[in-house]
Amino acid sequence: TVSVLHLPGTSEEVAPPIQQCFMIPKKEINVVSDMAKWKRSQAYADYMGFILTLNEGVRSKKLTCEYKVSEPIEKLVALLNTLDRWIDETPPVDQPSRFGNKAFRTWYAKLDQEAEKLVATVIPKHLADAAPEVAVYLKESVGNSTRIDYGTGHEAAFAAFLCCLCKIGVLRVDDQMAIVFKVFNRYLEVMRKLQKTYRMEPAGSQGVWGLDDFQFLPFIWGSSQLIDHPSLEPRHFVDEKVVNENHKDFMFLECILFITEMKTGPFAEHSNQLWNISAVPSWSKVNQGLIRMYKAECLEKFPVIQHFKFGSLLPIQPVTS
């Protein structure tokens, strides 16, 4: 497995090098042919390494198990709680169209304004210069305020935000389980609330042919959690009773529950890809298949990656190591 990026805390390195020049991340993928640059980039290698490290870190573990919760983790949860509170303070407005409630723009404007301050609460004083760079990924992670939509590109920005916090040494190797179970899980709850409250459109969704309208990573990490489970097999997740009894322990089932709350009609019709996955014999096969699908359907799709931003922490430069 790939080790979490050359993290401070994994080697003898005590603190990140001080001479780091932070920068505001910017768009680098402008035409389809730029996709080759992305796949060769240090950013792609580090992002994918991060996703796979966490995938190993949560393998065969329940959401409810015991794990270390560091101070930065607590602060990240507090940050997400703030975003949640702002939703309550910004009720949807009356408007003619059913989808894309304009109150989302009001909510987003607040995040846009406060993002750097929020990020500054999570990172230590000596790394204060990193806040503007890291904050960009937080702002990109909640959906698009013009289109009032949300999709896997926004989710990727949140993973990139966490990856950056690892690269500057705020999050450590032993935070792995808490990153997924506490921080990412809280992020999912807040995103589901945004999606419901403001009736957000799915961004670049392939409809019934996609995995899910909004998320992808919790299916990867969630399937890893279920590897070697003594009784739950992939065929069980389409069983309502199984989902109701186990969703609090497994991210994958939590996602299934949300889909069934949001969609009507037979599961095989509204979520055809997931229905197909329920026929795969083992969770490890599901997990491997989802990682391949994530690369192909999200990370290698121009409409998703054209919005990704690159800076000093996730550079567009070709891989060095």
Side-chain angles (χ1 to χ4, degrees), residues 58 61-63 67 177-183 185 225:
V58 300
K61 306 271 199 313
K62 290 181 176 182
L63 284 168
Y67 49 84
M177 283 167 67
I179 289 172
V180 179
F181 292 170
K182 241 191 149 46
V183 180
N185 204 44
Q225 283 185 278

Side-chain angles (χ1 to χ4, degrees), residues 41-170:
S41 71
Q42 189 65 50
Y44 182 90
D46 287 348
Y47 179 85
M48 220 36 236
F50 182 66
I51 299 302
L52 294 173
T53 299
L54 295 175
N55 189 55
E56 283 305 306
V58 300
R59 190 184 170 121
S60 310
K61 306 271 199 313
K62 290 181 176 182
L63 284 168
T64 48
C65 74
E66 295 271 309
Y67 49 84
K68 175 193 165 230
V69 179
S70 64
E71 196 182 343
I73 294 285
E74 297 281 16
K75 288 174 172 171
L76 281 165
V77 172
L79 179 158
L80 291 164
N81 291 343
T82 301
L83 302 190
D84 189 310
R85 192 182 74 244
W86 291 347
I87 302 175
D88 297 333
E89 292 166 7
T90 319
V93 293
D94 274 339
Q95 61 175 45
S97 61
R98 234 176 97 219
F99 284 95
N101 195 283
K102 290 181 181 59
F104 175 71
R105 292 181 182 147
T106 311
W107 180 89
Y108 184 85
K110 191 154 192 176
L111 172 62
D112 195 34
Q113 212 186 328
E114 303 286 327
E116 276 185 39
K117 274 192 218 133
L118 288 172
V119 170
T121 63
V122 179
I123 60 183
K125 291 274 183 288
H126 72 278
L127 290 168
D129 290 353
E133 176 166 347
V134 177
V136 168
Y137 295 103
L138 179 65
K139 286 190 279 196
E140 297 276 316
S141 75
V142 297
N144 181 285
S145 65
T146 311
R147 296 187 303 272
I148 314 184
D149 66 7
Y150 176 95
T152 51
H154 302 109
E155 177 189 65
F158 192 74
F161 166 67
L162 296 172
C163 182
C164 287
L165 292 174
C166 282
K167 292 198 80 170
I168 61 174
V170 171

Side-chain angles (χ1 to χ4, degrees), residues 109-262:
K110 191 154 192 176
L111 172 62
D112 195 34
Q113 212 186 328
E114 303 286 327
E116 276 185 39
K117 274 192 218 133
L118 288 172
V119 170
T121 63
V122 179
I123 60 183
K125 291 274 183 288
H126 72 278
L127 290 168
D129 290 353
E133 176 166 347
V134 177
V136 168
Y137 295 103
L138 179 65
K139 286 190 279 196
E140 297 276 316
S141 75
V142 297
N144 181 285
S145 65
T146 311
R147 296 187 303 272
I148 314 184
D149 66 7
Y150 176 95
T152 51
H154 302 109
E155 177 189 65
F158 192 74
F161 166 67
L162 296 172
C163 182
C164 287
L165 292 174
C166 282
K167 292 198 80 170
I168 61 174
V170 171
L171 296 173
R172 302 291 178 120
V173 177
D174 56 358
D175 287 317
Q176 279 180 53
M177 283 167 67
I179 289 172
V180 179
F181 292 170
K182 241 191 149 46
V183 180
F184 193 82
N185 204 44
R186 184 73 186 105
Y187 164 75
L188 281 179
E189 290 168 359
V190 178
M191 291 309 103
R192 286 173 185 143
K193 187 165 168 178
L194 279 180
Q195 288 150 19
K196 268 187 187 162
T197 307
Y198 304 121
R199 302 298 299 268
M200 297 177 79
E201 300 269 13
S205 163
Q206 295 141 332
V208 62
W209 304 112
L211 186 68
D212 176 75
D213 281 343
F214 298 112
Q215 313 296 156
F216 203 113
L217 293 173
F219 292 96
I220 295 180
W221 296 331
S223 58
S224 180
Q225 283 185 278
L226 285 154
I227 291 174
D228 297 332
H229 191 283
S231 59
L232 292 180
E233 293 169 36
R235 63 191 170 93
H236 290 119
F237 77 75
V238 290
D239 178 339
E240 209 179 321
K241 185 171 180 287
V242 170
V243 173
N244 289 333
E245 286 171 6
N246 298 282
H247 70 93
K248 285 191 169 55
D249 284 324
F250 300 104
M251 215 167 227
F252 194 101
L253 303 181
E254 199 72 82
C255 290
I256 301 295
L257 187 68
F258 184 66
I259 291 170
T260 53
E261 276 173 17
M262 299 297 277

